[in-house]
Amino acid sequence: MDVIMPQLGETVAEGTVTVWHKKVGDTVKADELLFEVGTDKVETEIPALVTGIITEILVAEGETVDVGVKLAVIDDGKEAAPPTEAATKDIIMPQLGETVADGTVTIWHKKAGDEVAADELLFEVGTDKVETEIPSPIAGTLKEILVAEGETVDVGVTLAVLALKDGATAPKAAAAAPAAAPKATPAPKKSKPATAKQSHAAPISPVVARLLAEHSLSISDITGTGRDGRVKRKDVLAHIGGAGSAVGGDTEVVPFTYTRKLTAEHMVRSKATSPHVLQAVEVDFLGVEIARRSMKDSWKAEHGFSLTYLPFIANAVCEAIADFPRINASVVGEALHIHKKINLAIAVDLGEEGLVVPVIRDANELSVADLATAINDVAAKARDGKLSGDDFTGATYTLSNNGSTGTFITAPIISQPQVAILSTDGVSKKPVVIEGDNGDEIVIRPVGVLAQSFDHRAIDGAYSGVFLGRVRQILEETDWAAELS
Amino acid sequence: MAELAYRDAVAAAIAQEMERDENVVILGEDIAEAGGVFKTTVGLLDKFGAKRVRNTPIAEQAILGAAMGAAMTGLRPIAEIMFSDFLAVCWDIVVNEIAKARYLTDGQFTMPLVIRTANGGGSRFGSQHSQSVENWAMAVPGLKVVAPSTPADVKGLLAAAIRDPDPVIFFEQKSLYATKGEVPDGELVDELGKAKVLRKGDDVTIVALAAMVPRAMAAAKRLQKEDGVSATVVDVRSLVPLDTQTIFKEVQHTGRLVTVEENPRLCGWGAEISSIVAEELFYDLDGPIIRITSPHCPIPSADDLEDAYLPNAERIVETIRREVD
């Protein structure tokens, strides 16, 4: 182990050895005072870094040398690392995205003993998000494969050992991750002759590179409209949308809005995450209808908006959740987290802008009238674009109100990480058989379907079904006129 | 709606908050009888009296030291530093005391104070009275940094700064003091940390602050007319907290980002925003991020040189023409 002149401050370039506390042949322990250094600024005591015997002192007391110069040698029983050890390199499972913790080796393109060049395709990794080709970070011979095809290991686990070519030094230990980012999987290099179009080597922007990779396109497929024929993002989008024609055609290309993109991503993820099961009940809304009608005009006059079915359903849902707490929950890992608060999310349609789902907090503490006002408020704020980030967080259960469009039934997609979502569909007059004084009778009633999608990881059909029955019972049997007055 | 000058909106915001909260006080050089050297505090002395509207000696350290003590003992002081260049004189108090008090005392002391200051060039004040130094403040953890571009934003954001529980440096742009704009009637309180999208386009997103906002808007209109390039213009309004979500949304839409700032090039705020966008949205970028800044040299005193030094609509148009293809 070499003892060197330490850097004793950002601007200090040299130091003077003022005192040696040990001489050649002495034994020194790690952290024991070894020597002192003076600079133009300070006098500092320097301890030994290792335990061993001092075999050599190269700079005498009073001498001034540059930072980094060897001052002495301590024999700590370890020879300098043999070159063979330094000349191997561990290939590790790379981090293929912020949230990805492990990966599966899908294909080894080399076997033990094969030579591999720097940047040559070495293996492929699959994660839940992407399949990525990993090139070798350095040239060498594949000495050993430690993780076989099909095995899944954590990020950072050594997959193979590469013996470096003679004279090559191992790059710093952590440098095994591929240069390639997961989104921009480099296509295997094909030795295509450069076309005239590419000879300008107009640069490919990151977004163009990503779009080409996502749609398995080649830059030469697309006509660039930028300077020097550069392919711009809109050229790729036009190519994708217009099936080859950059302009015109029968297709109008409407790029997704930000909200649309978020919705798309979330819906795909939710369907992939939760096994959805749909159940529905038919509800007789006579009691609700009587209450609504009895105060139709006075409510509108007082509040400025109409009283819909939704606050009644929201109220009944909150009441039913009290008996069925597992509906109001999230799946976290392999556990169900049951929420004590009921924060109801209400889906609000914004037309072309997309869909937003603001939250009404502690909805179980609100009366029907309060819920009506709260729902109207968040919907109005959503349409005016006045919702803040906080208005979207913490939802525990979601209502998707499709009734106004007159649908019969809708199979909603769960808003993650919740475990259920209810669609309220159109209420219309239907013949209903009831048991009257003279036996069965057919009467006309306002009937609507409530359809719930639930996450079958979290709960089962019986639980969900009885919950829906309870919601129906509350809606049909409560004296809503009394509740409202 | 009433039309107010940028400078009058300052006084209007302070009056609104002094009326609401008797703990709000204001101190600074020549702010009382004289109404401020930039006439931003006219009428406050008559309305609120000499106890709450105090002249100070020409000693910036004393102004901020007094404001800091007042804030620690229950008042909500508004301290005026006449020219933002002079913040350098009292930077120790700002950086080592005001910005850190909440943290060092584990929240036992908070620092609900506002440092108002006239910032920026273009008004022929020479190199020691014309600097745009919002990037200095942005570099100090513990400070909030606001710089409005319109009278309505001056009123709403200054009111929000006064109500904020932490120290806010409020940069008023000298060259905008005479500009006028509609300000809503009645109480006006805005939100710190929200950018404003002033114009929606498809080809490039221009992010600007303070005096650069009207110049970016003028450039966007010319680009639309002369080149058919449609530009989004975002007024950042608040550097700390920074509304990255709005910036991301607009950059994702156009794929291009151009920042326009008055402070000198090295470590200007545009560099920070560029860096954040490059990290977060690399695969949405359709070309390099471009920064338009003042050059890295002291701001010149000669009129022609001062004008050439500051980014203007012409330079924004030419840069976008050259770089955004």
Side-chain angles (χ1 to χ4, degrees), chain A residues 180-184 205-210 225-228 230-234 256 258-259 261 353 388-389, chain B residues 191 194 202-203 245 248-249 251-256 280-287 320-325:
Chain A
K183 278 184 176 172
S205 72
V207 70
V208 167
R210 171 168 68 81
T225 61
R227 184 175 303 154
D228 298 335
R230 183 173 88 87
V231 173
K232 299 165 70 168
R233 182 179 68 166
K234 67 178 176 192
F256 278 1
Y258 186 66
T259 306
K261 277 190 220 174
E353 272 282 299
S388 72
Chain B
E191 192 182 346
K194 289 273 177 226
D202 296 320
D203 297 323
Q245 293 311 309
F248 289 169
K249 191 173 157 187
V251 173
Q252 274 185 320
H253 181 71
T254 62
R256 295 301 305 260
E280 299 287 336
L281 295 183
F282 186 74
Y283 291 102
D284 288 295
L285 289 174
D286 200 16
I320 289 176
R321 257 183 207 152
R322 191 173 62 240
E323 303 289 347
V324 180
D325 57 341

Side-chain angles (χ1 to χ4, degrees), chain A residues 282-285 426-432 445-449:
Chain A
E282 234 180 0
V283 178
D284 178 350
F285 281 97
V427 175
S428 58
K429 287 181 188 170
K430 294 242 174 89
V432 173
R445 288 286 172 86
V447 172
V449 170

